[in-house]
Amino acid sequence: MSDILWLSHPAIADLSHCIGHRVTTHGFVDAIRDQKRMRLIVMRDKTGKVQLGQSKEGSALTEVEFG
């Protein structure tokens, strides 16, 4: 994920076109689920939801699933 795709804050519905790229998007946290080794964060905007995974050992977020 070293490439940065320069889109002006893509909507969550458009994130499937950004796989393999680092993006910045806007939205709000819809839900947080604490697991044993991960924290799952559901982010939403007016176009949909995306689930992000955060390792409890680190602070980096990684895209896990589109919804």
Side-chain angles (χ1 to χ4, degrees):
M1 288 230 260
S2 61
D3 294 335
I4 296 177
L5 184 64
W6 293 105
L7 297 177
S8 179
H9 306 294
I12 288 175
D14 298 329
L15 291 179
S16 63
H17 303 293
C18 304
I19 293 173
H21 298 278
R22 181 179 293 180
V23 297
T24 300
T25 191
H26 289 260
F28 62 92
V29 174
D30 190 47
I32 298 174
R33 297 182 187 94
D34 265 334
Q35 304 293 319
K36 203 174 232 183
R37 295 183 181 157
M38 293 191 87
R39 180 174 293 119
L40 300 174
I41 302 165
V42 178
M43 190 175 125
R44 133 183 256 162
D45 68 6
K46 64 183 179 182
T47 66
K49 296 180 183 180
V50 65
Q51 180 170 281
L52 308 165
Q54 181 182 32
S55 170
K56 288 190 175 181
E57 296 175 5
S59 62
L61 291 174
T62 55
E63 173 261 315
V64 178
E65 169 185 328
F66 294 99

